[in-house]
Amino acid sequence: MKKVVAVLACVVVLLVGYVVLDKSGTQSSFDTKKAYDQGKAFYNNKEYDRAAELFKKVCDGGEMRGCNNLGAMYTDGDGVEKNEQKAVELYKKACDGGYMIGCYNLGTMYANGSGVEKNIKKAMDLYKKACDGGEMNGCVDLGVMYTNGDGVEKNEQKAVELYKKACDGEEISGCFNLGVMYANGNGVEKNKQKAVDLYKKACDGGDISACYNLGFMYANGDSVEKDFDKAAELLKKACDGGNMLGCNNLGVMYEKGNGVGKNEQIAVELYKKACDGGDMRGCNNLGAMYTKGNGVEKDFIKAVQLFKKACDSGEMSVCANLGVMYANGDGVEKNEQKAVELFKKACDSGEMNGCGALATMYANGNGVEKNEQKAMDLYKKACDGGNMLGCGFLGFMYEKGDGVRQDIYMAKEYYGKACDLGDQDGCDEYKRLNK
């Protein structure tokens, strides 16, 4: 089935394809039906050679389901040598014979350029044919294409219609996608309660991304009453189903003791699972555990390796953490120039922690020529972007007249902003200046 993967309830649509092996239907003759059913049994038992032999017989006998399933086996290389061109031929035969899953699978091959030259327009036509013929996966993928504007003019309202059709047709990924649209107000009036209902339906139907989104909403009290116990249950379901974001966030709950008993060792295990599964936030959190020695023996070298892995993979917030390690010489030879480079990389990508750290390097002349005006500009950028330490440092600079004309009123304003963002030092300084 096709999935639209949502991260933290944000729409991130991704068209990825895999084939659907049919599990139902009627047959034109008893012998063909018997052979087909036996082929399914062999396939489910991973006796792929025997399954392929029977699917070929029923395909040659005119049963289109056999052609489709044999195509799936050529796509994956199960029981036969992988041959995507042969798979395309078999899906086309099934589709031309009126078997809609064959049309859907053929559309996926065109969408991905597998065994055939990539052709988004052809993929759309095949998904539409499948959708119109009752194959709800076709509706979902066609909806994804309208959501992305991939091969067609972007039309979120049309995408919503298609997701709704799929959801009403009991295609759970359609319910999940529709939930994402309601959560973000894309193509439909924003309605997070409706999104909750759709996520629940999809999660109950086995869509782990929906379980993750629903768990995230319970953890934050977003359109539902905050319930850490329920959030932990849903995130565990997502994690167990292979959703690495679920593993990472469940790890956070174990680290903090929210909804579960605080257990840093379990948190470490979950962060490692998320990191190994490709979630770079898991790598970052695991690295942080190694820097603090929480749930694991303190190991700066291991932390640096994890931060580098995440930074190199494009997780810019982690580049700032790696920069701190270079600035301090923790787990790596001290190199302030390298730290500046990493802080700038993070800041340029919109990570305010990186901007704040880079500002400090300019303020102190570490790894770069001292430049108080540049520091001020960067602290302001960080503060405006919600970085509490940037606001706090601005307050300090205005109070002391450090690189700027002394202004107690401005100092109080920035200390207050830092306080509002959760910085206790900012709160204390604001109270002090108000005495």
Side-chain angles (χ1 to χ4, degrees):
M1 300 176 185
K2 294 296 184 288
K3 301 291 181 185
V4 178
V5 179
V7 177
L8 306 185
C10 294
V11 176
V12 182
V13 285
L14 176 66
L15 184 64
V16 294
Y18 63 88
V19 295
V20 176
L21 195 65
D22 181 68
K23 299 182 178 68
S24 62
T26 58
Q27 296 298 116
S28 57
S29 71
F30 175 80
D31 288 343
T32 305
K33 180 182 185 306
K34 183 176 180 181
Y36 177 79
D37 289 344
Q38 192 172 18
K40 283 198 303 179
F42 284 140
Y43 183 89
N44 293 335
N45 200 38
K46 297 186 179 181
E47 297 179 64
Y48 295 132
D49 291 346
R50 302 175 76 180
E53 181 183 348
L54 285 169
F55 287 148
K56 184 179 187 307
K57 286 182 179 179
V58 296
C59 176
D60 291 343
E63 174 50 59
M64 296 299 104
R65 291 187 306 164
C67 302
N68 175 75
N69 288 9
L70 185 58
M73 298 188 78
Y74 273 106
T75 300
D76 296 333
D78 290 334
V80 292
E81 185 175 351
K82 184 171 181 176
N83 187 328
E84 291 180 333
Q85 291 79 10
K86 182 68 174 176
V88 166
E89 294 173 12
L90 288 160
Y91 293 146
K92 185 176 187 305
K93 181 175 180 178
C95 180
D96 291 345
Y99 191 63
M100 293 301 104
I101 293 179
C103 300
Y104 167 76
N105 285 347
L106 183 59
T108 298
M109 303 299 274
Y110 274 104
N112 295 330
S114 300
V116 67
E117 186 176 351
K118 186 171 183 175
N119 188 326
I120 298 298
K121 178 64 169 60
K122 183 70 173 176
M124 281 196 66
D125 292 343
L126 287 160
Y127 287 150
K128 185 176 187 305
K129 181 176 181 178
C131 178
D132 291 345
E135 176 47 48
M136 295 298 104
N137 282 302
C139 304
V140 173
D141 277 11
L142 190 58
V144 170
M145 298 179 95
Y146 276 107
T147 301
N148 289 340
D150 187 6
V152 65
E153 185 176 352
K154 186 173 182 175
N155 188 330
E156 292 177 333
Q157 290 80 9
K158 181 67 174 177
V160 166
E161 292 175 14
L162 287 160
Y163 295 149
K164 185 177 187 306
K165 179 176 180 179
C167 182
D168 291 344
E170 300 304 317
E171 175 48 52
I172 295 303
S173 62
C175 302
F176 170 65
N177 290 0
L178 186 59
V180 172
M181 303 299 272
Y182 272 106
N184 294 286
N186 294 334
V188 68
E189 186 175 350
K190 191 171 186 176
N191 186 332
K192 287 197 170 182
Q193 186 54 58
K194 182 71 173 176
V196 166
D197 294 340
L198 286 160
Y199 289 153
K200 185 177 187 309
K201 179 177 179 179
C203 178
D204 290 345
D207 190 302
I208 58 170
S209 295
C211 299
Y212 169 77
N213 279 8
L214 190 57
F216 187 83
M217 295 178 85
Y218 273 106
N220 291 282
D222 187 2
S223 304
V224 290
E225 186 175 349
K226 184 179 283 191
D227 187 336
F228 284 128
D229 291 339
K230 184 68 174 175
E233 176 189 333
L234 287 161
L235 292 175
K236 184 178 187 305
K237 184 174 181 179
C239 178
D240 290 345
N243 183 293
M244 295 301 105
L245 277 172
C247 300
N248 177 68
N249 285 11
L250 185 60
V252 172
M253 298 187 79
Y254 272 103
E255 184 181 353
K256 295 182 177 180
N258 291 336
V260 291
K262 184 171 181 176
N263 190 319
E264 292 176 336
Q265 288 78 15
I266 292 179
V268 165
E269 292 173 9
L270 287 162
Y271 292 149
K272 185 178 187 305
K273 180 175 180 179
C275 179
D276 291 344
D279 180 55
M280 294 301 105
R281 279 154 290 198
C283 300
N284 178 56
N285 288 346
L286 183 58
M289 300 296 272
Y290 275 106
T291 64
K292 296 176 286 189
N294 291 345
V296 68
E297 187 176 348
K298 184 181 285 190
D299 187 336
F300 286 135
I301 294 175
K302 184 67 174 176
V304 166
Q305 292 171 349
L306 288 160
F307 290 152
K308 187 175 187 306
K309 176 180 179 180
C311 177
D312 290 347
S313 296
E315 192 65 36
M316 292 297 104
S317 62
V318 190
C319 297
N321 288 352
L322 183 59
V324 170
M325 305 298 279
Y326 274 102
N328 296 332
D330 290 332
V332 68
E333 186 176 349
K334 186 171 181 175
N335 187 331
E336 291 179 335
Q337 290 78 15
K338 181 68 175 178
V340 166
E341 177 188 325
L342 287 161
F343 292 147
K344 186 176 186 304
K345 181 177 181 179
C347 181
D348 289 346
S349 70
E351 287 295 334
M352 296 302 105
N353 287 338
C355 297
L358 184 60
T360 299
M361 302 297 276
Y362 274 104
N364 297 325
N366 294 334
V368 68
E369 186 176 348
K370 186 172 182 176
N371 187 328
E372 291 175 333
Q373 183 56 55
K374 183 72 171 175
M376 283 285 297
D377 293 342
L378 285 162
Y379 280 139
K380 187 174 188 309
K381 179 178 180 179
C383 179
D384 291 345
N387 180 268
M388 62 184 183
L389 296 180
C391 299
F393 277 116
L394 276 175
F396 177 82
M397 295 179 82
Y398 273 108
E399 181 185 359
K400 302 300 181 184
D402 188 3
V404 66
R405 185 169 59 86
Q406 187 178 40
D407 188 329
I408 299 302
Y409 175 79
M410 290 296 290
K412 286 197 295 184
E413 180 180 338
Y414 280 111
Y415 282 143
K417 283 186 177 181
C419 180
D420 291 341
L421 290 168
D423 180 27
Q424 185 57 49
D425 288 339
C427 298
D428 294 341
E429 297 303 319
Y430 181 82
K431 290 177 182 176
R432 178 179 59 78
L433 291 183
N434 270 324
K435 285 183 179 178

